[in-house]
Amino acid sequence: MAGTISASETIDRPADEVWAVLTDWPNAVHWMNGIESMSIDGETVEGARVHFFTRGRDRESVVVRCEPGRSVTLRSQQGGVTADYRYSIEQAAESSCVVRLEAECQFTGLQYLLLGPLIRFAIRRTDGGQIAALKRMIEEGG
């Protein structure tokens, strides 16, 4: 898969507090651009399905990797596009942590291969600010 987004922010809160907000999927509508609703089947564990509504459609991601308190990777597949979003948290100081988003995309089929650069651009534009928005929400108490 090819890298699409690489973003990080230092958040002035302990890692466990940030993890709780990051994995509170219904609350993600406040920091994920374009998401109108989000839920998970059960807990944030490998194999769990995350459902979300965006751009007038129901969509789904699967938790393909999870290290509780440290990182979670969500995989979405739509048509010939597979996208992995890896969110990770690392304690930086006693009361702050670094949060990262690494997103990668893979394309199959000629039309998706040709549209790949445009799709990556759209993903960066839509989702590239997620971690900055998460930081604002947590630090401003929103």
Side-chain angles (χ1 to χ4, degrees):
M1 285 199 198
T4 301
I5 298 172
S6 181
S8 67
E9 293 282 345
T10 299
I11 299 179
D12 291 326
R13 296 290 187 279
D16 59 342
E17 182 180 327
V18 173
W19 177 259
V21 174
L22 176 74
T23 58
D24 177 3
W25 302 111
N27 197 39
V29 300
H30 300 291
W31 57 272
M32 286 186 174
N33 187 30
I35 302 295
E36 295 176 46
S37 66
M38 188 171 245
S39 63
I40 189 166
D41 294 340
E43 300 294 318
T44 302
V45 296
E46 290 178 20
R49 298 194 177 283
V50 178
H51 307 276
F52 56 102
F53 189 79
T54 184
R55 295 181 208 96
R57 294 188 164 191
D58 287 312
R59 308 243 187 241
E60 182 178 272
S61 292
V62 175
V63 177
V64 293
R65 184 171 169 95
C66 183
E67 296 177 62
R70 302 199 61 211
S71 70
V72 61
T73 302
L74 303 176
R75 177 170 291 161
S76 298
Q77 294 180 297
Q78 183 180 340
V81 180
T82 300
D84 282 0
Y85 281 56
R86 180 177 188 268
Y87 300 90
S88 62
I89 300 173
E90 181 180 325
Q91 194 74 42
E94 187 175 320
S95 62
S96 68
C97 62
V98 176
V99 180
R100 290 184 176 81
L101 167 59
E102 301 290 331
E104 299 180 335
C105 291
Q106 180 176 325
F107 305 101
T108 56
L110 183 59
Q111 70 182 20
Y112 292 105
L113 290 170
L114 292 173
L115 291 172
L118 183 59
I119 293 169
R120 280 194 183 91
F121 173 78
I123 289 171
R124 277 192 300 274
R125 187 164 186 206
T126 301
D127 298 338
Q130 283 186 6
I131 301 304
L134 177 67
K135 174 186 173 81
R136 281 190 305 275
M137 187 189 83
I138 291 173
E139 291 183 353
E140 293 171 9

